[in-house]
Amino acid sequence: DQEVAARHMFLGLNTPSLSHLPHSGRQANVNVEITERAWHYQGQPCWVATVHDTSSVARIAQSLVRSQARYRTLVENADQVILFVQERHVAYANPAAIAFFKLQADAIRDTLSLFLIHPEDRPLALERRKAMIAGDPEHSVVLRTIAPPTEHLQPDTTVSWVRFYGSLVEWEGQAATLIFMTDLTAQRETEESMRKALAQEKELGDLKTRFVSMASHEFRTPLSTIQTSSELLGHYSQRLS
């Protein structure tokens, strides 16, 4: 660090240089920022140096780097689909998102985020985005996604149901939207199967009710005829004899 300071002085640089100074009573060094400039003191040329302690800034920066590294590790190993969207384009997609949308990492980046959504559900996604920007605390919505992402549905398009959650965050120094997607496709298919089973059961019940009613009617008709004939015979039996 002495060589760095000496070089700055020799070259006449007045830009800050980072250095380490021993701190009294401590074994560790202290990060400082030194700014030197030429001066005259009592008629003699000299150098004036300003020393600024940057230890706290350095600690905060290191903590931030470690925090971002841990956060990125968490995101990359999550089973849930996670996306960062900036200016309506995908800026980052975790491995789960890349697999879900059937694209390579370099292909999904810069994809228009709206193309991830089923064309019929895109107005709903835009509505939720506006509500989120306006401060609506309810940021989740259930909608359909398509894979691979395209402007229009293709013959090989895979449609999935997801719970879509978005939040405004900062990503790499710029405003972004953090998106989580939970796959609900299996759940929706189970619910649809149950709905169809209940509908079939109800239809079968209605059919049984109609059959019993029709059978009862058909049985009642000849019985009524027999009963009427019996009553007539009993009433006119003397005349018939």
Side-chain angles (χ1 to χ4, degrees), residues 7 13 50 69 85 90 96 98 111 113 118 124 127 129 139 150 156 177 217 220 229 241:
R7 185 167 60 253
L13 301 176
T50 303
V85 175
V90 177
I98 293 170
T111 299
S113 60
H118 192 286
L124 176 60
E127 180 182 342
R129 181 178 182 274
H139 300 160
T150 54
D156 61 341
T177 303
H217 175 72
R220 278 199 306 269
S229 299
S241 61

Side-chain angles (χ1 to χ4, degrees), residues 82-152:
I82 300 177
L83 302 165
F84 284 91
V85 175
Q86 289 177 328
E87 297 181 356
R88 302 195 176 188
H89 287 77
V90 177
Y92 170 82
N94 72 336
I98 293 170
F100 184 80
F101 287 106
K102 302 179 180 180
L103 288 176
Q104 297 297 324
D106 55 348
I108 195 171
R109 291 194 190 99
D110 297 327
T111 299
L112 190 64
S113 60
L114 208 58
F115 288 174
L116 306 175
I117 309 300
H118 192 286
E120 295 178 2
D121 292 346
R122 289 170 187 172
L124 176 60
L126 290 174
E127 180 182 342
R128 293 309 308 161
R129 181 178 182 274
K130 292 179 181 178
M132 178 182 61
I133 294 175
D136 187 348
E138 181 58 43
H139 300 160
S140 67
V141 62
V142 175
L143 44 71
R144 291 167 291 177
T145 60
I146 58 175
T150 54
E151 183 176 2
H152 305 288

Side-chain angles (χ1 to χ4, degrees), residues 214-230:
M214 181 180 65
S216 299
H217 175 72
E218 294 297 330
F219 279 117
R220 278 199 306 269
T221 300
L223 289 174
S224 298
T225 303
I226 293 171
Q227 182 178 3
T228 302
S229 299
S230 177

Side-chain angles (χ1 to χ4, degrees), residues 4 16 24 43-44 47 52 62 67 71 73 75 98 145 158 175 178 187 195-196 205 211 219 222-223 240:
V4 173
S24 61
Q44 298 294 326
W47 287 91
H52 176 63
Q62 291 172 0
S67 176
Y71 183 70
T73 300
V75 168
I98 293 170
T145 60
T158 300
L178 171 62
Q187 177 182 336
R195 188 190 65 79
K196 289 181 179 179
F211 175 76
F219 279 117
L223 289 174
L240 290 175

